[in-house]
Amino acid sequence: MKFSQKLLLWTTIIIALTLGFSGFYFVNYVFETSLEREVGQALDENNILRFAFETAALNVPVKYDLLQDSSVEQIASNLETSGQGTGRLLRICDEEKNVLYAGDGFEADDELLNAAAENHYSYRVVPLGERYYIQTQSHINALGRSLYLETLRDVTQVFEEREMGFTVYRRLMILMLLFGIVIMYFIASRLTKPIRILVRATKEMAAGDYGYRARQVSNDELGELTQDFNHMSEVLEETIGQLEEEVQAREDFVGAFAHELKTPLTSIIGYADMLRSRKLDEEKSMLSANYIYTEGKRLETMSLRLLDIIVTKKEGAKIRAISAEALFEYLRSMFLPNKSMEFIFSYEPAVVMADVSLIQTVLVNLLDNACKASEEGGRIEISGHKEQGGYRFIVKDYGIGIPAEEVSKITQAFYMVDKSRSRSRNGAGLGLALSTEILALHDSRLEIDSTVGEGTIIGFLLQAEEEAEHEEIHS
Ligand code: ATP
Ligand code: MG
């Protein structure tokens, strides 16, 4: 059963019970009050009749000491007829409770009479046929006689009114219930609308539509729940997107790795097979061994680079304040002996926040790439300057450049713009992937600006410590 239906059902039950009990109580209360009033009037009437009887008995001519039965009958009959139109019925019994007079239609049994005691009033409500009466009983003392006077007062109307009250109230209650159900139906469906919307949203999400959002239709707790649900969906969508990207990246990586492994291995196996199966002259043997060596070396470089990436990711960076100058000095000492290129250094002194060996790896790779992209004797400019937000390192070459559509891809593992050219220069396609990982640990990234045929500028920003000293340009 739906929540709105449950709500409707329970409200209907509660309304029905409340209306039922209160209606029953109300109608019954009115009935009890009316009956009480009728009882009071019946007792008053009995009293009046008793006085009237005793008065009439005093006026009976006294032939005997005792009031005769015939006189009792006569007085009672007179009293009954004098009350014509009131529906008054009398019964008078003697001391032995034998009936002396009973009005026409006085059919009540002797229960009240048998229970009667002297000087004691009593009454009861009796049903006779389809009608209801209040039967009263009192004691008369007249001319030495001790008689019992009983009256019957017709109160059927009070009972009929009660029945009518119940019927009217029942009809009214059914009408009120129907009206209440219609109103409650709308209220329940309005109140549960956010729940229905959320149920639909969860189903859509379960079916894989992570971009689906629930519409907020109220500002209460359910509205808050909708907001939280949407927020959760956003986080979930983002996380799933990231996970999907990560899985894709891993698949690409494994694919590229297998591919990169295959090429050198094919060469190594091919040349090794040649060496062992045929007797080659010394020059060819040397050539084959050389191929095996260089390809093996490339595999070694690749595995070392991969290891670097894994270790960097795992161990993180030990960032501390270091002098930028020291980094440039290190590069100078590494690259200046290479006389086939023209290296130009220009940098501002500064203290940067970095993991020395990791940043050295990045810079060496950038310089190495610049060398590989340039013709012999090409000019390579390495510079460093302060700027708002930190210290920028820039490596600029005037080499072959990178096509615009390739720029975003060169930081992927194993990606090389020109594979044969890179391989011939011992490239594994991992240098920039490793550099990206390292810079991510420094909250930084590579910024690449390149034009094919003109050259490439690659830079990155590191956090720098504020220095009040004067700035000096070294070159
Ligand atoms: P590795 O660095 O692993 O020895 P690699 O230099 O080929 O090999 P990356 O440093 O990741 O690998 O560079 C990826 C590719 O990006 C290079 O193969 C090259 O095609 C291109 N590239 C990088 N730097 C430059 C540059 N300065 N000019 C032109 N192309 C570049
Ligand atoms: Mg490289």
Side-chain angles (χ1 to χ4, degrees):
M1 192 187 255
K2 283 185 177 171
F3 180 63
S4 62
Q5 288 169 342
K6 278 188 194 168
L7 203 65
L8 188 64
L9 180 72
W10 279 108
T11 329
T12 311
I13 291 173
I14 290 167
I15 293 178
L17 286 177
T18 318
L19 286 180
F21 280 120
S22 56
F24 177 79
Y25 176 79
F26 176 72
V27 173
N28 232 27
Y29 175 77
V30 172
F31 166 75
E32 299 280 346
T33 320
S34 304
L35 196 64
E36 243 171 65
R37 197 179 54 239
E38 291 291 334
V39 167
Q41 282 175 1
L43 289 173
D44 287 348
E45 199 176 47
N46 184 299
N47 216 11
I48 290 165
L49 284 171
R50 190 167 60 84
F51 273 115
F53 189 96
E54 285 170 356
T55 317
L58 289 178
N59 293 333
V60 172
V62 187
K63 283 189 203 161
Y64 311 96
D65 292 344
L66 280 176
L67 187 64
Q68 295 301 298
D69 287 353
S70 57
S71 304
V72 170
E73 200 177 331
Q74 185 61 46
I75 295 169
S77 163
N78 286 345
L79 283 178
E80 198 172 71
T81 26
S82 69
Q84 208 97 58
T86 57
R88 170 194 300 167
L89 286 174
L90 295 182
R91 183 162 76 177
I92 301 209
C93 298
D94 63 10
E95 293 76 358
E96 273 72 46
K97 298 183 178 166
N98 297 318
V99 177
L100 296 178
Y101 173 83
D104 213 8
F106 199 112
E107 285 159 8
D109 57 21
D110 296 341
E111 197 186 310
L112 201 64
L113 188 65
N114 293 336
E118 265 192 42
N119 301 323
H120 180 76
Y121 282 92
S122 57
Y123 76 90
R124 65 170 183 160
V125 178
V126 278
L128 294 176
E130 287 187 346
R131 304 195 74 76
Y132 289 88
Y133 295 88
I134 297 172
Q135 184 183 1
T136 61
Q137 176 276 319
S138 66
H139 202 243
I140 300 176
N141 285 313
L143 284 181
R145 298 292 300 266
S146 178
L147 305 169
Y148 294 98
L149 168 66
E150 286 174 286
T151 62
L152 273 187
R153 183 181 173 84
D154 192 345
V155 286
T156 313
Q157 209 189 337
V158 177
F159 281 84
E160 281 172 354
E161 274 168 9
R162 179 172 73 164
E163 269 320 300
M164 198 160 357
F166 280 139
T167 314
V168 169
Y169 192 80
R170 224 177 356 253
R171 285 184 194 148
L172 204 67
M173 198 178 98
I174 290 171
L175 268 180
M176 284 196 286
L177 263 184
L178 285 178
F179 184 67
I181 287 171
V182 173
I183 300 277
M184 265 318 290
Y185 174 78
F186 285 109
I187 293 178
S189 59
R190 204 183 151 75
L191 284 179
T192 54
K193 194 173 180 183
I195 299 177
R196 285 200 301 278
I197 292 176
L198 278 174
V199 168
R200 168 134 192 240
T202 43
K203 280 187 182 149
E204 291 286 340
M205 286 191 72
D209 183 0
Y210 300 112
Y212 191 89
R213 297 287 175 269
R215 191 160 48 90
Q216 191 185 342
V217 288
S218 64
N219 290 320
D220 51 15
E221 289 91 329
L222 286 177
E224 227 173 275
L225 181 66
T226 312
Q227 271 180 2
D228 291 347
F229 178 85
N230 285 343
H231 179 62
M232 186 192 76
S233 315
E234 266 162 36
V235 175
L236 204 66
E237 191 186 8
E238 220 170 273
T239 315
I240 287 174
Q242 279 170 3
L243 284 176
E244 279 173 353
E245 268 174 31
E246 222 165 274
V247 168
Q248 188 58 45
R250 272 184 200 186
E251 272 175 18
D252 291 351
F253 181 86
V254 172
F257 179 61
H259 187 256
E260 287 308 310
L261 213 59
K262 212 179 94 193
T263 324
L265 278 178
T266 315
S267 302
I268 290 170
I269 293 166
Y271 282 110
D273 191 38
M274 211 153 78
L275 277 176
R276 66 169 194 163
S277 56
R278 269 182 274 160
K279 194 153 179 61
L280 298 171
D281 58 38
E282 201 173 325
E283 193 188 344
K284 277 189 177 161
S285 302
M286 196 60 200
L287 210 66
S288 301
N290 200 35
Y291 267 118
I292 292 172
Y293 176 77
T294 42
E295 290 302 294
K297 257 301 189 207
R298 237 160 54 74
L299 276 182
E300 187 193 27
T301 319
M302 196 166 84
S303 60
L304 286 176
R305 277 273 158 92
L306 274 177
L307 208 64
D308 280 348
I309 293 180
I310 293 165
V311 170
T312 309
K313 264 191 183 174
K314 207 171 158 190
E315 292 190 350
K318 295 176 190 75
I319 296 174
R320 57 190 177 84
I322 55 161
S323 130
E325 268 175 302
L327 285 170
F328 286 106
E329 283 310 317
Y330 169 76
L331 292 176
R332 264 177 196 277
S333 64
M334 267 203 84
F335 285 89
L336 280 185
N338 180 355
K339 296 290 177 205
S340 60
M341 293 288 168
E342 186 189 352
F343 294 99
I344 304 203
F345 285 86
S346 78
Y347 53 88
E348 290 174 32
V351 174
V352 293
M353 301 305 293
D355 181 316
V356 189
S357 65
L358 292 183
I359 289 299
Q360 278 173 352
T361 309
V362 174
L363 287 167
V364 167
N365 183 55
L366 293 185
L367 255 74
D368 181 46
N369 284 355
C371 292
K372 285 194 279 192
S374 306
E375 295 294 320
E376 210 173 315
R379 180 184 163 100
I380 293 166
E381 295 167 11
I382 306 105
S383 60
H385 64 264
K386 284 183 187 170
E387 65 174 49
Q388 215 185 357
Y391 191 87
R392 186 171 294 281
F393 290 86
I394 293 172
V395 176
K396 182 176 180 180
D397 68 65
Y398 297 88
I400 54 169
I402 308 160
E405 65 277 10
E406 310 275 355
V407 168
S408 60
K409 300 178 192 162
I410 58 169
T411 50
Q412 292 170 13
F414 304 113
Y415 196 87
M416 297 169 244
V417 178
D418 182 345
K419 283 196 187 290
S420 54
R421 185 186 164 97
S422 297
R423 282 198 186 117
S424 67
R425 295 176 181 225
N426 261 339
L430 289 170
L432 291 182
L434 174 61
S435 303
T436 307
E437 289 294 339
I438 292 174
L439 288 176
L441 294 175
H442 290 76
D443 290 328
S444 181
R445 63 189 180 86
L446 286 173
E447 279 151 33
I448 306 164
D449 181 16
S450 183
T451 313
V452 175
E454 286 185 18
T456 307
I457 304 170
I458 303 190
F460 61 89
L461 193 73
L462 283 187
Q463 270 190 8
E465 267 192 2
E466 289 297 323
E467 260 187 330
E469 291 163 31
H470 69 280
E471 289 161 12
E472 191 188 329
I473 305 254
H474 295 244
S475 58

